[in-house]
Amino acid sequence: AALTEQQLLVNDAWREVTRQYLDKTYNGLGEEGWKAKRLEAVKAVSNLGPDDSEVVYAAVRGMLKELGDPYTRFLTPDQYSAIVAVAKGNNAGIGVTLQLDPSSAKVVILNTVPGGPAAQGGILSGDVIEEIDFRPTSDAMADVVAARCRGDVGTPLDLAVRHGTPDGPSGTLTRLTLTRAVVRVNPVEASTFVAPRGGGTVGLIRVPSFSQETAGQVAEAMKKV
């Protein structure tokens, strides 16, 4: 029998991961074991329909989880759009880079854009985002939290964060309201310093992460140093 649309999604995800995955032991499952995981997921969604997208997505994630690779993950269309929006550079947001801490499953601030709403509001690297607009971020991926941080220019965003400390996140929940703005994501930073040997001037260009604007930003930075 022909596969349903839901089964085709599972099958397509499996095929694409199989095509690109470098570890051909598939985390010790072997080729047959990895094929068995595909069959299990395909059977699990056999009776699902168009309104069961979240259940289908969960089946795909469960299949990929067997690989034990945190960098191999399934994104919904909305999550993928959020990542693409970040990569394009110009976003109405608060100017943060986020990451998921695998040990705590919390979304942590990796860095803030200088001059952005988050930096101006006192958010620092290492802070943990607990709530966005009074909705908890538990069990959410970093890109989902990032998407919730974005919106129209000038709109408010209510956050609840725990500031980072040397011993981990603070026990005190801090609430603050930020105003979304167009933020230049991942700005390249340029500076100079005097070399300890020889006394020559050395130019330093820092690229915190990459987006479609990075090449142009590096070219601008090189003119400054």
Side-chain angles (χ1 to χ4, degrees), residues 61-85:
R61 292 191 183 104
M63 177 180 68
L64 298 182
K65 187 177 180 180
E66 298 295 330
L67 296 173
D69 180 6
Y71 300 103
T72 299
R73 55 194 180 130
F74 175 80
L75 300 178
T76 67
D78 288 344
Q79 291 166 353
Y80 177 76
S81 296
I83 290 177
V84 171

Side-chain angles (χ1 to χ4, degrees), residues 179 190 210 217:
T179 301
F210 292 87
Q217 292 177 6

Side-chain angles (χ1 to χ4, degrees), residues 2-220:
L3 296 178
T4 66
E5 182 177 341
Q6 291 70 36
Q7 289 176 313
L8 285 172
L9 175 60
V10 173
N11 193 60
D12 288 347
W14 183 90
R15 287 183 181 278
E16 189 61 25
V17 170
T18 302
R19 184 179 71 85
Q20 298 193 42
Y21 207 67
L22 295 178
D23 175 16
K24 294 307 178 182
T25 72
Y26 301 105
N27 196 31
L29 293 171
E31 288 189 9
E32 293 306 314
W34 178 230
K35 289 178 181 178
K37 295 301 176 184
R38 166 193 168 275
L39 185 59
E40 289 176 12
V42 168
K43 287 182 177 179
V45 303
S46 59
N47 295 320
L48 300 181
D51 296 330
D52 300 313
S53 296
E54 292 301 324
V55 183
V56 178
Y57 297 160
V60 175
R61 292 191 183 104
M63 177 180 68
L64 298 182
K65 187 177 180 180
E66 298 295 330
L67 296 173
D69 180 6
Y71 300 103
T72 299
R73 55 194 180 130
F74 175 80
L75 300 178
T76 67
D78 288 344
Q79 291 166 353
Y80 177 76
S81 296
I83 290 177
V84 171
V86 171
K88 288 182 178 179
N90 288 323
N91 299 279
I94 60 173
V96 293
T97 302
L98 307 175
Q99 69 175 6
L100 183 67
D101 182 352
S103 63
S104 65
K106 297 287 188 180
V107 175
V108 180
I109 303 292
L110 184 61
N111 56 52
T112 60
V113 176
Q120 291 181 346
I123 291 179
L124 303 171
S125 175
D127 288 357
V128 175
I129 298 181
E130 295 284 359
E131 296 178 9
I132 295 180
D133 287 335
F134 304 101
R135 294 166 54 194
T137 60
S138 55
D139 300 324
M141 293 190 297
D143 41 29
V144 176
V145 175
R148 288 167 61 183
C149 286
R150 285 190 294 276
D152 293 334
V153 175
T155 56
L157 179 69
D158 292 305
L159 291 181
V161 303
R162 296 188 190 278
H163 292 303
T165 72
D167 298 321
S170 168
T172 303
L173 198 64
T174 300
R175 296 189 179 275
L176 62 161
T177 300
L178 306 177
T179 301
R180 294 182 177 94
V182 176
V183 180
R184 194 178 192 189
V185 178
N186 305 327
V188 172
E189 299 175 3
S191 60
T192 59
F193 64 93
V194 178
R197 294 185 180 181
T201 301
V202 178
L204 177 64
I205 297 176
R206 180 177 178 271
V207 183
S209 57
F210 292 87
S211 73
Q212 291 184 354
E213 294 186 343
T214 301
Q217 292 177 6
V218 169
E220 291 179 13

